[in-house]
Amino acid sequence: MEKATVKKKKQVLLYYCVEMEDVARKIASESDSIILHSINWRSFADGFPNLFINNAHDIRGQHVAFLASFSSPAVIFEQLSVIFALPKLFVASFTLVLPFFPTGTFERMEEEGDVATAFTMARLISNIPISRGGPTSLVIYDIHALQERFYFGDNVLPLFETGIPLLKQRLQQLPESEKIVIAFPDDGAWKRFHNQLVDYPTVICTKVREGDKRIVRLKEGNPDGCHVVIVDDLVQSGGTLIECQKVLAAHGASKVSAYVTHGIFPKRSWERFLHKNDEKAFTYFWTTDSCPHTVKVV
């Protein structure tokens, strides 16, 4: 008789930046195959990084991943230094997980002199050294503009994931009596997400110029009597979401909620969505932990 062979599950050594430590620990708790490894994030007296990869000898021949957060320019250089070093330690493969691609909103030139920083960041990441296993696997969630996948060179293999399955899980937990309608704040959001939300009726809003102002209007769909969930990839000041909520409520929506994968909220703009004086403009506001600083503050 032949002995049955049990395929051993691939073990992944997961390194992480300081900001992503809590997220990394949650990920590791989901599987025995994910082993956390740490970096000594130190600085010299002049403020430049003084970095050390712990257990560097032990990772030879291992599958290695790094969980990054480019939340501000101040932390990008030190992480890139580690990201460029890890594949050169004779690892079997290297994966970079960057949940939020922060320069994604600056992806094109509208007039001569504009700097498309998304392209600059993509060029930097594309120069990550090739590991023994080949090009780096790059995982990004809900990148702002789909054409940005073409900004990356052949040294990396971009994999674009989405947080929408998390939203669908949450919507399924709502009372069955609630009629859910998905709203998109503009045509761009509709193009990006509508194929993943085909089980729900949809509403599309649009922005039009009236003088110096940009006004949000209902383009198509009927929100009357429904719990309308606005879906987009990210929120910053929240102005567009608030204007969409007003339009949807004016057209009869019984409730309005919002989902974004990336809650950026600069200058504490999340406070605009707090319930004050029993005013509940948004019933729910869902986001992921792709921007961990925001999650902790909120």
Side-chain angles (χ1 to χ4, degrees):
M1 291 180 63
E2 293 183 1
K3 290 184 178 179
T5 57
V6 179
K7 190 175 180 180
K8 188 177 179 182
K9 201 168 183 181
K10 183 172 74 174
Q11 191 176 74
V12 177
L13 309 184
L14 178 61
Y15 287 87
Y16 51 88
C17 67
V18 174
E19 191 172 313
M20 282 291 189
E21 181 173 357
D22 289 345
V23 178
R25 294 193 181 282
K26 289 178 184 177
I27 293 170
S29 70
E30 296 291 327
S31 172
D32 293 336
S33 299
I34 301 173
I35 311 299
L36 292 185
H37 280 232
S38 61
I39 308 286
N40 288 345
W41 302 97
R42 304 168 301 194
S43 297
F44 291 109
D46 61 3
F48 274 85
N50 176 15
L51 309 169
F52 185 80
I53 299 171
N54 294 311
N55 308 109
H57 285 288
D58 298 338
I59 71 174
R60 292 184 178 185
Q62 301 290 327
H63 299 283
V64 174
F66 183 81
L67 180 60
S69 174
F70 291 177
S71 59
S72 74
V75 299
I76 292 176
F77 177 67
E78 62 179 21
Q79 290 182 69
L80 283 177
S81 299
V82 170
I83 290 164
F84 276 55
L86 284 169
K88 298 171 74 174
L89 294 174
F90 298 97
V91 300
S93 69
F94 180 62
T95 301
L96 171 61
V97 183
L98 180 62
F100 173 48
F101 189 66
T103 55
T105 53
F106 310 103
E107 86 284 3
R108 65 185 182 273
M109 293 174 57
E110 294 188 353
E111 62 177 310
E112 195 68 31
D114 283 341
V115 178
T117 51
F119 184 60
T120 306
M121 183 65 73
R123 291 173 73 183
L124 287 170
I125 292 174
S126 297
N127 280 288
I128 297 172
I130 293 176
S131 71
R132 284 176 56 193
T136 293
S137 298
L138 170 65
V139 184
I140 296 176
Y141 282 80
D142 289 316
I143 198 165
H144 183 68
L146 296 179
Q147 70 268 20
E148 291 175 43
R149 71 179 61 215
F150 305 112
Y151 291 179
F152 297 93
D154 292 339
N155 274 14
V156 295
L157 301 174
L159 176 63
F160 297 103
E161 294 285 3
T162 179
I164 293 298
L166 298 174
L167 170 65
K168 293 169 77 171
Q169 287 177 17
R170 186 65 186 88
L171 294 180
Q172 290 167 4
Q173 296 170 11
L174 295 175
E176 292 184 6
S177 58
E178 291 201 9
K179 184 180 178 184
I180 304 296
V181 168
I182 301 297
F184 302 106
D186 51 39
D187 288 327
W190 178 84
K191 290 176 183 176
R192 190 180 301 115
F193 295 120
H194 79 279
N195 283 333
Q196 302 171 59
L197 293 160
V198 293
D199 295 331
Y200 298 94
T202 58
V203 166
I204 304 175
C205 296
T206 187
K207 295 177 186 175
V208 295
R209 285 195 177 276
E210 290 188 2
D212 294 333
K213 294 182 178 180
R214 297 191 76 181
I215 308 298
V216 175
R217 289 182 176 169
L218 188 65
K219 180 180 178 182
E220 61 181 78
N222 181 17
D224 187 38
C226 300
H227 181 177
V228 183
V229 180
I230 305 170
V231 174
D232 209 351
D233 60 316
L234 59 83
V235 60
Q236 296 215 38
S237 69
T240 298
L241 291 178
I242 290 170
E243 291 305 311
C244 283
Q245 184 275 330
K246 292 176 181 178
V247 170
L248 294 166
H251 282 80
S254 59
K255 296 179 182 178
V256 179
S257 297
Y259 164 85
V260 296
T261 300
H262 311 297
I264 305 168
F265 295 118
K267 299 179 180 178
R268 297 177 66 88
S269 59
W270 54 269
E271 292 179 344
R272 302 178 69 182
F273 297 92
L274 294 176
H275 294 167
K276 298 177 181 177
N277 302 322
D278 293 327
E279 179 186 349
K280 296 184 179 180
F282 285 82
T283 304
Y284 300 105
F285 198 119
W286 295 296
T287 186
T288 75
D289 52 6
S290 67
C291 300
H293 275 331
T294 299
V295 173
K296 285 185 178 180
V297 173
V298 173

